[in-house]
Amino acid sequence: MYGLIGKMWAKPGQRDALMAILVEGASSMPGCLSYVVAQDPKDPDVIWITEVWDSQESHKASLSLPSVQDAIARGRPLIAAFDEHHETVPVGGHGIGAAALQFIQADAASRCS
């Protein structure tokens, strides 16, 4: 499993437009188990993105998908800055889905053997 948590600053007044592009570009990404775009309640220009992937390789491959390339091209002019970026190793939780939980359990079992 591979996870990312990132904080992005939209140009002033462009947060909603940028979030719409990010959400739209996230459809049909093989290996993506969860992709959440969220508003920061304290700053009207901040966006948080939380991703869960079956592998780091799937995430890397997603960056060459036409839908993702299109989202990058359309969103780039609306981005003021990238702030925090954290890689994680998801181990489970609510909302990832049953298939992902089975993958996590199998992955954990293989690490223990």
Side-chain angles (χ1 to χ4, degrees), residues 20-81:
I21 291 168
L22 293 170
V23 169
E24 181 184 312
S27 62
S28 302
M29 295 189 299
C32 184
L33 305 173
S34 177
Y35 186 89
V36 177
V37 177
Q39 299 175 352
D40 187 302
K42 296 179 183 173
D43 191 311
D45 297 320
V46 171
I47 299 169
W48 288 92
I49 302 169
T50 307
E51 305 174 50
V52 177
W53 294 84
D54 62 6
S55 68
Q56 188 172 8
E57 294 76 21
S58 291
H59 173 261
K60 192 174 195 176
S62 76
L63 298 175
S64 63
L65 293 170
S67 63
V68 174
Q69 286 293 310
D70 179 61
I72 291 169
R74 291 187 302 126
R76 186 173 285 133
L78 306 180
I79 298 170

Side-chain angles (χ1 to χ4, degrees), residues 2 4 17 24 26-27 29 34 70 76 94 104-105 107 112:
Y2 180 69
L4 291 169
E24 181 184 312
S27 62
M29 295 189 299
S34 177
D70 179 61
R76 186 173 285 133
H94 181 74
I104 292 167
Q105 291 168 339
D107 184 53
C112 293

